[in-house]
């Protein structure tokens, strides 16, 4: 932390070919820069073709502010019954425990606060939050976020966790942190021993690119898992960084291999200063279409748009329900195979749409129950089935 790259001079000393100048100074005056030496060491090319470089080095595009971008698009400030605590969903609350991060991500959704002042939650504020949680026992799940809570000293973080644990209705504590990615040496045995005292503790971390999965970051994740902390990962879809299906596939495979469950893939929020990172929503859907069938469900994150105006996370999926009748739902799988799923018999009474005449298979015939599936000819799986077991073919399946 003490050796973070924080100034233009330090940045240029580390990467002499970076264009300095007035733009960089203006960006950094608005959105602070900090890069841990470790994270800087992951940069392979000091230009915008490098994903790590893009995520941590300020660029002039951050000053572009189309009118639909907002400082707080999720309207967290409107859902703060106590300053520093967001209460949006009935059973969950989010505590902003610090405004400090070890590395300031250029795509951060809380650019309005991250790094503007580096402060940690006070005891007085923590008491106000604990009082609110006690008065609202429906809140059973508290997310400790920031900034990055794992930049706090172990003692300060313990003060937060132990106070939250004293609220009887708080069942689960989650910590949102990018420290395993940008400062993995912070995950010490001492920190893990402290976390163990406050289980169930869950951690969601924030890997965006396979290049971030290094021996050091994997070891940090292993230390947390070995301390009994289930790990999830929240990635953000970022233009030019990870917006190709193969990159997300590689990332998800590597995460699962290292006991980190891919949890969310976020559409970039409508935050000021991140327009150059935004991808169309259709790119996320393309990626989800690509992952399904290639990866196990365990390795597939949920693609969500965290809706503006505090609308919350909305899952966005390719459409797998093709049609419905009272007797059948017609579904499609990742190969394009159409399958008629029959509804329970007692729900179908009085509904008989079966065609009376000879017909050729189409979606209506599947919904009517005349056929059970329409099978694309040349999929690998279908070819294998036909080779292994020709009797799989039946007269009413196409
Ligand atoms: S670590 Fe999280 S809060 Fe901090 S800058 Fe990155 S995304 Fe924002």
């Amino acid at each position: 932390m003490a050796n973070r790259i924080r100034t233009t001079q330090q940045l240029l000393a580390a990467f002499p070919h970076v264009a300095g100048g007035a733009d960089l100074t203006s960006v950094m005056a608005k959105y602070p820069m900090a890069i841990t030496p470790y994270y800087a060491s992951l940069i392979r090319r000091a230009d915008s073709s490098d994903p790590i470089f893009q995520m941590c080095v300020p660029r002039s595009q951050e000053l572009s502010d189309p009118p639909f971008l907002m400082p707080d698009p999720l309207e967290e400030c409107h859902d703060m019954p106590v300053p520093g605590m967001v209460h949006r969903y009935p059973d969950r609350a989010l505590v902003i425990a610090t405004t400090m991060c070890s590395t300031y991500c250029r795509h951060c959704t809380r650019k309005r606060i991250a790094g503007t002042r580096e402060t940690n939650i006070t005891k007085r504020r923590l008491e106000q939050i604990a009082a609110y949680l006690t008065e609202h026992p429906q809140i059973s799940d508290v997310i400790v976020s920031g900034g990055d809570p794992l930049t706090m000293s172990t003692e300060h973080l313990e003060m937060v966790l132990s106070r939250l644990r004293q609220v009887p209705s708080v069942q689960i504590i989650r910590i949102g942190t990018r420290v395993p990615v940008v400062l993995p040496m912070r995950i010490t045995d001492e920190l893990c021993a402290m976390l163990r005292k406050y289980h169930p503790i869950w951690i969601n971390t924030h890997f965006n690119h396979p290049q971030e999965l290094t021996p050091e970051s994997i070891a940090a994740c292993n230390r947390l898992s070995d301390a009994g902390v289930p790990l999830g990962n929240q990635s953000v879809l970022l233009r030019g960084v990870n917006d190709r299906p193969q990159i997300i596939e590689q990332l998800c495979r590597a995460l699962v291999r290292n006991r980190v469950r891919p949890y969310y893939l976020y559409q970039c929020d409508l935050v000021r200063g991140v327009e150059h990172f935004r991808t169309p929503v259709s790119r996320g859907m393309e990626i989800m279409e690509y992952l399904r069938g290639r990866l196990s469900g365990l390795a597939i994150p949920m693609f969500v748009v965290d809706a503006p105006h505090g609308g919350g996370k909305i899952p966005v999926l390719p459409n797998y329900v093709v049609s419905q009748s009272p007797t059948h739902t017609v579904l499609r799988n990742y190969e394009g195979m159409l399958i008629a799923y029959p509804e329970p018999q007692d729900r179908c009474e009085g509904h008989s749409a079966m065609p009376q005449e000879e017909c050729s298979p189409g979606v209506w015939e599947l919904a009517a129950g005349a056929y059970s599936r329409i099978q694309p000819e040349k999929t690998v799986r279908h070819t294998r089935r036909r080779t292994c077991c020709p009797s799989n073919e039946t007269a009413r399946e196409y």
Side-chain angles (χ1 to χ4, degrees):
M1 286 292 282
N3 292 317
R4 290 181 298 169
I5 298 172
R6 298 231 60 188
T7 65
T8 311
Q9 291 75 8
Q10 290 167 335
L11 183 69
L12 296 178
F15 304 109
H17 299 299
V18 170
D23 270 1
L24 193 62
T25 311
S26 314
V27 175
M28 283 165 55
K30 200 166 176 187
Y31 306 117
M33 173 185 69
I35 312 171
T36 58
Y38 162 80
Y39 199 59
S41 78
L42 305 187
I43 294 174
R44 294 176 188 164
R45 297 170 305 273
D47 60 45
S48 59
S49 67
D50 186 279
I52 309 288
F53 183 91
Q54 288 205 66
M55 286 187 276
C56 65
V57 176
R59 284 195 291 162
S60 57
Q61 290 98 314
E62 291 177 48
L63 296 173
S64 144
D65 272 335
F68 47 84
L69 298 184
M70 293 157 270
D72 179 18
L74 309 183
E75 296 188 358
E76 291 184 324
C77 293
H78 298 267
D79 284 324
M80 276 191 188
V82 179
M85 196 199 75
V86 182
H87 184 193
R88 169 163 304 147
Y89 302 101
D91 68 333
R92 276 150 283 167
L94 181 143
V95 175
I96 296 182
T98 178
T99 56
M100 176 153 54
C101 303
S102 58
T103 294
Y104 291 113
C105 311
R106 307 324 298 172
H107 54 273
C108 179
T109 199
R110 296 207 184 103
K111 266 173 113 87
R112 70 183 189 282
I113 51 171
T116 47
R117 287 182 311 133
E118 293 194 325
T119 54
N120 295 333
I121 191 167
T122 60
K123 206 159 190 304
R124 186 169 150 267
R125 183 55 45 78
L126 185 60
E127 285 306 322
Q128 290 171 336
I129 289 172
Y132 183 88
L133 293 172
T134 308
E135 285 159 20
H136 296 81
Q138 72 271 27
I139 300 173
S140 59
D141 181 352
V142 177
I143 298 150
V144 180
S145 184
D148 195 323
L150 295 194
T151 58
M152 296 160 73
S153 70
T154 304
E155 297 71 38
H156 205 131
L157 182 61
E158 180 161 18
M159 178 185 92
V160 175
L161 299 180
S162 65
R163 186 65 190 90
L164 294 175
R165 268 282 163 252
Q166 285 164 22
V167 179
S169 45
V170 172
Q171 294 170 14
I172 294 166
I173 299 175
R174 289 190 274 170
I175 298 173
T177 176
R178 192 150 150 83
V179 153
V181 186
V182 291
L183 188 65
M185 49 293 293
R186 166 68 181 106
I187 310 297
T188 58
D189 292 341
E190 178 218 18
L191 174 70
C192 292
M194 187 277 282
L195 293 175
R196 269 176 183 276
K197 292 197 259 172
Y198 300 98
H199 273 318
I201 298 271
W202 293 60
I203 285 186
N204 269 322
T205 187
H206 178 174
F207 287 94
N208 285 326
H209 193 279
Q211 206 170 308
E212 294 176 325
L213 277 144
T214 63
E216 290 85 356
S217 66
I218 290 169
C221 291
N222 283 338
R223 282 194 289 278
L224 288 168
S225 295
D226 292 345
V229 178
L231 296 178
N233 187 65
Q234 314 195 113
S235 301
V236 188
L237 201 50
L238 300 170
R239 192 199 308 174
V241 173
N242 61 5
D243 59 339
R244 283 196 291 121
Q246 294 81 357
I247 292 178
I248 297 291
E249 179 190 8
Q250 215 187 324
L251 174 66
C252 291
R253 284 190 190 281
L255 288 169
V256 172
R257 207 163 46 238
N258 291 292
R259 293 186 281 171
V260 184
R261 164 87 160 94
Y263 179 42
Y264 282 134
L265 175 63
Y266 281 98
Q267 172 69 11
C268 207
D269 291 334
L270 296 176
V271 185
R272 281 208 187 135
V274 306
E275 180 64 4
H276 57 297
F277 280 122
R278 291 205 310 126
T279 54
V281 175
S282 61
R283 180 56 57 87
M285 290 179 70
E286 254 182 274
I287 291 173
M288 296 314 287
E289 187 74 79
Y290 178 88
L291 297 182
R292 181 64 57 191
R294 277 188 173 75
L295 293 183
S296 95
L298 187 68
I300 300 183
M302 185 179 289
F303 176 51
V304 292
V305 177
D306 211 342
H309 309 300
K313 296 176 197 72
I314 300 175
V316 181
L317 274 176
N319 196 358
Y320 294 107
V321 178
V322 175
S323 188
Q324 280 189 296
S325 76
T327 60
H328 291 79
T329 296
V330 182
L331 303 164
R332 80 153 173 91
N333 78 352
Y334 67 98
E335 301 163 306
M337 178 183 179
L338 300 182
I339 304 117
Y341 178 86
E343 304 298 356
Q345 283 218 313
D346 61 345
R347 306 297 297 272
C348 302
E349 276 159 22
H351 294 284
S352 174
M354 272 290 274
Q356 300 301 309
E357 296 160 12
E358 190 68 15
C359 57
S360 56
V363 172
W364 187 84
E365 284 75 14
L366 286 174
Y371 291 90
S372 64
R373 63 177 170 174
I374 298 176
Q375 175 76 55
E377 273 276 319
K378 290 183 182 161
T379 65
V380 173
R381 185 173 65 92
H382 193 54
T383 308
R384 187 171 56 232
R385 272 190 167 201
R386 269 191 308 205
T387 319
C388 303
C389 187
S391 64
N392 277 332
E393 296 299 306
T394 69
R396 298 194 75 73
E397 292 164 349
Y398 281 73

